[in-house]
Amino acid sequence: MRAQVGIIGAGPAGLFLAHLLHAAGIRVVVLEQRSRDYVEGRVRAGVLEQTTVRLMHRLGLGARVSQEGLLHAGTTLCVDGDPFHVDFAELTDGGAVTVYGQSEVMKDLNLAADQRGIRILYDAAEVSPRALETDQPIITWKQDGVSRRLDCDFVVGCDGYHGVSRGCIPASVLETVERIYPFGWLGILSEVPPCNHELIYANHEHGFALASMRSPTRSRCYLQCSLSDSVEQWSDERFWDEFSLRLGTAFTPRITRGPSFEKSIAPLRSFVCKTMRWGRLFLAGDAAHIVPPTGAKGLNLAAADVAVLGDAFAAWYGAGDASGLEDYPRRALDRVWKAERFSWWLTQLTHRFPHMDTFDRHMQVAELSYLRQSRAAQAAFAENYVGLPLDF
Ligand SMILES: Cc1cc2nc3c(=O)[nH]c(=O)nc-3n(C[C@H](O)[C@H](O)[C@H](O)COP(=O)(O)OP(=O)(O)OC[C@H]3O[C@@H](n4cnc5c(N)ncnc54)[C@H](O)[C@@H]3O)c2cc1C
């Protein structure tokens, strides 16, 4: 097989990039190790920045997100049960985020790929990029036990944190930076109406809680938990008791309890691979960086990376202009570090750390009190939350 750009991974980064390149007349093939049902069913992100929604519209994928997405023009923060509201729209000249599940984004991307004839090969085993330091890289894989090969000009690793692409970069040039957090997020999905029309971020002496949603009838709720916890230790009853306690009495009467149909524990980490290009290999999305989910930046960063990379490939194939490809790591990383900073800051502000002493706690409470009272502080929070412009 032959393509101009071979993409590894059919998550948000891989499929947004495939659509961008297809729109620019560039031939792509996407190789994904999982099945389409698995990728579309994965319960993950749910908060889209304005730039991500704009990208969907630019690619002609915006119909359903406009109809079914929930526009959130603000959020609530809660300190030991005492809530205050941050009005994104007023602070950012009409800014907002859209609640729309990652699985819905994936369905939109896949359906449009079917209609446009974009080649996505699911269930590709043993995917292996090779000859990346030459002008003729290849990707080999097995499909139904048969060995296959793709010849291409470039390979883009959109294969997430655990993918194969980043590992192809020699250790001597690979530069990474990491912070592991000493807790996880226990998340549930339940078919009950959310307790608030917008998200609630709660800092309680027991730890962080987040009230989120996927639709007016489906709640997505999280609790900070110990990394040694297992989901079996958290019955639905125990979850709702703790969730109510951390949100406090202002919201307790509005919480509808129901059985969870998904329950999982996710560790939190900040990670940046500064080497986003090596030879003919480019990295995008979670393959290059991870943020803690506080602040909801992961999927949005993946979309921002490929918006930059897509334009760079269009300039290369359209006009032979290599400057965008050369500049991709610098432009992408500039935005990545800002999102890393915001996610780290919001995590620090809202979670209980094992080493925290009374002084640390007072600093947290004082900063939240400042955020409650200062329009300038709220404006900085809102600007980052709704998403920095691509060229910020
Ligand atoms: C619980 C949770 C909640 C989250 N909430 C939010 C949120 O609210 N907002 C937000 O913006 N982000 C959120 N995120 C993060 C977001 O889901 C990710 O940042 C996003 O999925 C990154 O997209 P990606 O395409 O880079 O990587 P992925 O979605 O990980 O896709 C990578 C793809 O590559 C495939 N792959 C891996 N290895 C190979 C291989 N060797 N060969 C072929 N294919 C391979 C994988 O199967 C996968 O389909 C959340 C994540 C989690 C876990």
Side-chain angles (χ1 to χ4, degrees):
M1 262 194 223
R2 164 99 203 132
Q4 288 168 306
V5 179
I7 299 173
I8 305 178
L15 291 199
F16 271 125
L17 182 63
H19 278 280
L20 282 160
L21 298 186
H22 179 80
I26 299 165
R27 277 174 290 116
V28 292
V29 170
V30 185
L31 298 167
E32 164 61 50
Q33 66 179 2
R34 301 282 193 167
S35 70
R36 177 165 171 169
D37 283 351
Y38 180 92
V39 172
E40 289 187 354
R42 216 163 17 196
V43 179
R44 292 179 109 190
V47 179
L48 305 184
E49 291 180 353
Q50 304 177 119
T51 39
T52 307
V53 175
R54 254 181 241 132
L55 179 65
M56 292 179 76
H57 283 291
R58 174 180 157 193
L59 291 168
L61 304 165
R64 219 157 58 89
V65 70
S66 292
Q67 271 176 7
E68 296 174 25
L70 307 173
L71 207 62
H72 283 194
T75 196
T76 293
L77 288 112
C78 202
V79 193
D80 289 330
D82 187 10
F84 65 97
H85 187 252
V86 178
D87 187 331
F88 300 151
E90 198 254 325
L91 291 158
T92 64
D93 200 13
V97 291
T98 302
V99 172
Y100 189 68
Q102 180 165 336
S103 48
E104 303 310 312
V105 175
M106 296 315 301
K107 284 175 201 155
D108 294 344
L109 286 162
N110 268 312
L111 187 65
D114 291 341
Q115 290 160 353
R116 295 169 188 179
I118 297 174
R119 291 199 77 176
I120 309 169
L121 303 178
Y122 284 96
D123 301 303
E126 297 175 35
V127 174
S128 177
R130 293 151 196 261
L132 296 164
E133 67 282 30
T134 73
D135 289 349
Q136 292 164 323
I138 59 167
I139 308 176
T140 59
W141 74 102
K142 281 193 177 161
Q143 200 88 43
D144 300 322
V146 179
S147 296
R148 309 286 302 272
R149 166 183 164 147
L150 177 75
D151 291 80
C152 43
D153 303 332
F154 297 96
V155 174
V156 186
C158 297
D159 46 353
Y161 182 70
H162 299 286
V164 72
S165 304
R166 196 175 62 249
C168 297
I169 302 174
S172 56
V173 291
L174 187 70
E175 267 192 275
T176 62
V177 186
E178 187 170 44
R179 161 81 38 105
I180 309 267
Y181 298 86
F183 40 71
W185 274 24
L186 168 68
I188 66 161
L189 264 179
S190 182
E191 210 58 63
V192 291
C195 62
N196 193 35
H197 65 293
E198 291 167 351
L199 272 63
I200 306 167
Y201 289 83
N203 176 327
H204 184 269
E205 63 171 333
H206 283 201
F208 170 81
L210 171 61
S212 182
M213 73 278 292
R214 287 295 177 267
S215 75
T217 57
R218 181 172 287 190
S219 295
R220 179 78 167 142
C221 304
Y222 297 97
L223 290 176
Q224 175 187 348
C225 67
S226 164
L227 281 172
S228 59
D229 282 4
S230 66
V231 287
E232 291 74 31
Q233 289 171 287
W234 284 90
S235 64
D236 288 347
E237 198 185 355
R238 181 180 172 205
F239 183 94
W240 288 117
D241 285 348
E242 188 62 27
F243 185 71
S244 303
L245 182 80
R246 293 190 194 180
L247 254 51
T249 48
F251 295 105
T252 307
R254 288 152 59 176
I255 295 173
T256 310
R257 293 174 179 231
S260 64
F261 62 91
E262 199 271 345
K263 193 184 279 170
S264 55
I265 293 178
L268 269 67
R269 78 170 77 230
S270 302
F271 169 83
V272 178
C273 170
K274 292 166 73 177
T275 322
M276 288 181 78
R277 176 186 183 177
W278 179 68
R280 290 272 171 141
L281 172 71
F282 292 83
L283 300 180
D286 278 16
H289 40 72
I290 297 286
V291 283
T294 334
K297 294 290 170 220
L299 184 154
N300 296 298
L301 269 185
D305 281 355
V306 298
V308 173
L309 191 55
D311 287 347
F313 275 125
W316 166 255
Y317 283 108
D321 176 3
S323 60
L325 291 177
E326 277 155 17
D327 205 27
Y328 166 70
R330 190 200 59 78
R331 279 192 69 197
L333 282 169
D334 185 54
R335 200 168 194 283
V336 165
W337 280 116
K338 289 180 184 123
E340 290 282 351
R341 187 208 65 82
F342 180 68
S343 309
W344 160 85
W345 170 79
L346 195 54
T347 306
Q348 296 274 127
L349 190 63
T350 52
H351 289 65
R352 297 292 283 183
F353 286 73
H355 63 263
M356 269 177 86
D357 58 16
T358 313
F359 181 82
D360 293 324
R361 178 67 180 153
H362 277 291
M363 290 300 98
Q364 248 189 7
V365 172
E367 188 160 0
L368 282 159
S369 170
Y370 176 62
L371 187 59
R372 181 192 296 262
Q373 287 157 351
S374 162
R375 184 186 160 83
Q378 287 195 9
F381 172 78
E383 182 180 43
N384 281 278
Y385 197 93
V386 300
L388 300 173
L390 259 183
D391 274 317
F392 190 83

